[in-house]
Amino acid sequence: MLRFILTVSLLLLTFSATAQVNFVDTIKQPIPTIISYGKDKDYYFTNDLVGAGAWYEVGVLGNGANVANVELGVYWEEHEAFTDTNKGSIFTPEGVDKTSLYDGHATATAGVIAGFKEFDTSSENQDVYAYAACGIAPHATLSAGGIASKLYADGSADATMANFESAYRYFFRENSQDVISSSWGPVSETAGTYYSKFIDTLAYENKYTSMVISAGNKINEESISLNRPTELAQSFNAISVGALDNPPDYDGLAEFSVTSPSDFYNPITQEYIENVRTAVDICTAGVDIFGAYYDSANTSVKNDYYTMSGTSFSAPIVAGTIALMSSLSKELETREDFSSAGWNADARDSRVIKAVLLNSADKPKDWDNGQSVQDGVEFKIEFEGIQGAYSTQSFDGVIKTTQGLDFNYGAGMLNAEKALNQYVGLYTTGTANNVWLLDEVNFTASNLYHIGEVDAGATLTMTLVWQAIYEFFEETDENGNTTESITNPALTDLSLELWIQLADGTFAPVAISDTKYNNVEHLSVTLAGVADCYARVAYFDMSYGEDIPTETYALAWNILTAVPEPAEWAMILGGVALLFVIRRKRK
């Protein structure tokens, strides 16, 4: 049996009787950032602080989205925070009753994702409970998976590897979800463990399920590294989330949040390369998150709430935001004005979701992805019309990063409002300021995308996301028992480049993100002068594994510009006739 120790920083608070408020009405109105309660404590409506209010103002609350919270235990359904939640399925290991897995940590994380209670309209007061009982995606369908066979009071659990595998197989395959959120995980001194490979394999197999994992908290045990991401968080095909401190601004990394660089493991050569990989993709609020409390010794009280701190509560915020994206995507797919312009299920591809979230993230003041101006930067250029033939050319004065993301913040700080703009911006404004696309590139070739003219002083941000490849191989023994093993590992080495076209018609490179140790490339460049810009995705190498003939990727870019006011979004998404002056995918 395996015993997992879950490390969380929690402050427990208990409150008395509840005032009533109809949150269905409240949520569509201007929402105060800080809700005062008591004499010496302000409680923050996290939804508003991370930008989710922009989604609510256009009527997107998570309807139609399916999200599973997979933890050691499962959330306590009787808490008032889940009174009006759309409840999905509850998965537990065979022979384990769900009531034995009710858990405070799972209750809190699930509430952050999709908790919801429609409060009575008899009171005019807005009470803090109305905000605590509202997850990021309050109208999503919330399922839960418990991995443990038994929970202990100290936060540890008994579980088997079969428990782990069956829970994630269920929500990736049998009860397919738009997003799965997990804020648990064992910690290992080595990279490339079975846990991360298993998640990567399921995610590669199921492109329309996004996996969100808390990066982990720094812990203080002699036998365990103080600053090591959980084994699940090392998955290439998931979104690993760190925690921000300093509420209500949430503009600095929490002291407990794990940081990179972490190690890279080559499953072909079985070699480790130390301190080269970014294991954090994005950060969001992780301190003083207000949520539902479960006390197993006092189950008669169903309206207790407390403040919570930890990366455990950052991951559900990102998962809830993805549920909002899925909800909107499914609605737009039925709209003729959007579907006729190319909107389809590709918008829910996990690579697109990740690229949009990372590209729309805010940059903290100390964000640094290692970009620097370098001479002698090499670019591989294919010969037109000759398959597999290319030359290597060297350029001076080029911005280059070999890590892509910041080792602490990843792409930066989640901004759900900007994510909305990035997600549907091209379709509503008809300009190239906010674009995403899903495309493929052949080995020893590249794709070039015309961004257009970018003004002097504007910041152009670009994000490229693809997936690590693992596959399941099924074997059946003489008794008819089928087992799965993981095989055929491969990771392509794509580069993301910014080029400009000069007055004489020739092209010159400006910047390149080229890391062999991750499946995300990221650039954020402020242009000194007006430039006609192009994004180039190039595929000439493998990080490991046999050459893959064609790689599929998501690419997003934005040009720093004003975000439409909520009223404008309401009008745009409400059915106003749209003019689409450019297509989403342009080569």
Side-chain angles (χ1 to χ4, degrees):
M1 303 287 280
L2 302 176
R3 172 168 284 195
F4 304 132
I5 298 176
L6 186 66
T7 304
V8 190
S9 175
L10 299 176
L11 175 62
L12 307 184
L13 299 177
T14 303
F15 297 108
S16 56
T18 334
Q20 306 296 306
V21 64
N22 187 327
F23 201 81
V24 173
D25 295 334
T26 305
I27 203 170
K28 294 184 179 180
Q29 303 300 319
I31 300 169
T33 300
I34 299 177
I35 310 301
S36 294
Y37 188 82
K39 296 180 179 180
D40 57 357
K41 181 67 181 177
D42 288 329
Y43 294 102
Y44 309 107
F45 183 44
T46 308
N47 307 42
D48 195 38
L49 298 180
V50 300
W55 296 78
Y56 307 154
E57 298 231 8
V58 296
V60 180
L61 304 175
N63 301 67
N66 299 298
V67 56
N69 191 47
V70 181
E71 301 283 343
L72 297 179
V74 298
Y75 71 91
W76 184 40
E77 300 165 280
E78 295 182 31
H79 195 286
E80 72 165 13
F82 305 104
T83 301
D84 297 308
T85 295
N86 296 317
K87 298 180 180 68
S89 60
I90 303 291
F91 177 88
T92 60
E94 186 175 356
V96 178
D97 186 82
K98 68 177 180 180
T99 60
S100 69
L101 293 186
Y102 284 153
D103 173 57
H105 184 266
T107 298
T109 53
V112 171
I113 300 171
F116 184 60
K117 176 178 179 179
E118 184 176 347
F119 279 77
D120 196 336
T121 58
S122 60
S123 173
E124 296 179 358
N125 298 323
Q126 292 183 359
D127 188 84
V128 66
Y129 287 119
Y131 297 91
C134 179
I136 299 294
H139 287 188
T141 297
L142 176 65
S143 294
I147 291 172
S149 300
K150 184 177 181 180
L151 295 174
Y152 294 94
D154 64 358
S156 62
D158 286 338
T160 66
M161 190 62 73
N163 293 0
F164 164 77
E165 293 177 345
S166 59
Y168 286 101
R169 281 195 181 101
Y170 178 77
F171 286 114
F172 268 104
R173 291 175 172 176
E174 298 174 47
N175 193 336
S176 183
Q177 301 290 299
D178 295 306
V179 56
I180 302 171
S181 180
S182 288
S183 293
W184 74 279
V187 178
S188 171
E189 290 288 350
T190 60
T193 66
Y194 180 77
Y195 292 96
S196 62
K197 289 189 288 188
F198 185 78
I199 293 297
D200 276 338
T201 310
L202 281 174
Y204 181 74
E205 177 186 80
N206 300 273
K207 300 295 193 295
Y208 296 104
T209 299
S210 293
M211 182 76 216
V212 181
I213 303 170
S214 63
N217 302 333
K218 297 176 183 178
I219 52 182
N220 188 14
E221 294 189 7
E222 292 182 2
S223 62
I224 302 178
S225 171
L226 294 176
N227 185 30
R228 179 70 61 176
T230 69
E231 295 183 40
L232 273 68
Q234 296 181 51
S235 304
F236 284 97
N237 299 339
I239 300 175
S240 173
V241 187
L244 297 175
D245 201 347
N246 191 32
D249 295 326
Y250 289 111
D251 55 1
L253 195 70
E255 185 178 2
F256 56 76
S257 187
V258 300
T259 58
S260 305
S262 61
D263 299 342
F264 175 83
Y265 175 68
N266 185 324
I268 305 297
T269 64
Q270 299 185 357
E271 295 176 322
Y272 293 91
I273 303 176
E274 295 183 347
N275 301 325
V276 293
R277 188 179 165 215
T278 306
V280 178
D281 293 307
I282 196 169
C283 291
T284 192
V287 173
D288 287 352
I289 309 301
F290 198 50
Y293 174 60
Y294 168 65
D295 181 1
S296 59
N298 189 14
T299 56
S300 62
V301 179
K302 301 179 180 181
N303 63 344
D304 276 1
Y305 297 87
Y306 64 160
T307 57
M308 313 168 291
S309 295
T311 59
S312 289
F313 310 107
S314 303
I317 293 173
V318 172
T321 303
I322 295 175
L324 295 175
M325 296 171 71
S326 299
S327 174
L328 177 60
S329 175
K330 291 177 180 180
E331 168 65 24
L332 296 185
E333 195 175 346
T334 67
R335 289 265 299 269
E336 184 178 350
D337 49 350
F338 279 80
S339 60
S340 63
W343 190 281
N344 54 51
D346 284 350
R348 296 186 295 282
D349 187 291
S350 59
R351 291 162 291 197
V352 170
I353 296 292
K354 188 172 181 176
V356 166
L357 287 177
L358 269 57
N359 204 67
S360 56
D362 289 332
K363 298 290 188 285
K365 294 179 181 179
D366 54 342
W367 186 88
D368 181 7
N369 73 335
Q371 292 181 187
S372 63
V373 178
Q374 302 178 26
D375 292 335
V377 178
E378 294 184 345
F379 291 80
K380 293 179 179 178
I381 312 295
E382 68 267 37
F383 292 114
E384 187 173 357
I386 306 178
Q387 185 175 0
Y390 60 90
S391 65
T392 300
Q393 301 180 29
S394 179
F395 296 85
D396 294 337
V398 175
I399 298 170
K400 182 177 181 180
T401 172
T402 56
Q403 70 185 58
L405 301 174
D406 180 279
F407 283 138
N408 298 328
Y409 295 99
M413 307 179 295
L414 172 72
N415 186 321
E417 181 173 358
K418 288 185 178 179
L420 172 61
N421 195 46
Q422 178 78 64
Y423 202 37
V424 295
L426 174 61
Y427 290 84
T428 55
T429 63
T431 68
N433 281 9
N434 291 277
V435 174
W436 65 262
L437 57 89
L438 189 67
D439 209 347
E440 57 185 31
V441 60
N442 295 328
F443 186 51
T444 66
S446 67
N447 291 336
L448 192 66
Y449 302 91
H450 187 200
I451 296 173
E453 189 173 278
V454 178
D455 293 336
T459 298
L460 175 60
T461 301
M462 304 191 299
T463 303
L464 177 69
V465 175
W466 65 103
Q467 289 190 326
I469 298 172
Y470 285 102
E471 296 176 342
F472 284 115
F473 176 71
E474 288 191 355
E475 294 180 292
T476 304
D477 62 21
E478 57 185 11
N479 298 319
N481 299 316
T482 300
T483 58
E484 288 184 326
S485 58
I486 297 174
T487 187
N488 296 332
L491 179 63
T492 58
D493 179 20
L494 306 186
S495 66
L496 174 62
E497 304 162 10
L498 173 61
W499 291 68
I500 60 173
Q501 188 170 24
L502 305 177
D504 61 1
T506 60
F507 289 82
V510 174
I512 179 173
S513 177
D514 187 16
T515 171
K516 283 186 172 295
Y517 308 116
N518 208 351
N519 59 324
V520 176
E521 303 288 359
H522 186 80
L523 288 168
S524 189
V525 178
T526 300
L527 299 178
V530 177
D532 191 15
C533 295
Y534 289 77
R536 181 175 184 251
V537 175
Y539 172 28
F540 292 92
D541 296 293
M542 296 291 298
S543 293
Y544 56 73
E546 296 184 4
D547 297 343
I548 305 300
T550 302
E551 180 62 85
T552 302
Y553 59 85
L555 173 64
W557 71 74
N558 67 51
I559 303 165
L560 187 60
T561 185
V563 178
E565 294 297 323
E568 295 179 56
W569 277 114
M571 184 169 60
I572 290 169
L573 296 181
V576 172
L578 307 176
L579 295 177
F580 298 93
V581 297
I582 60 175
R583 296 179 60 195
R584 185 188 68 199
K585 297 169 69 172
R586 302 176 305 160
K587 293 185 183 178

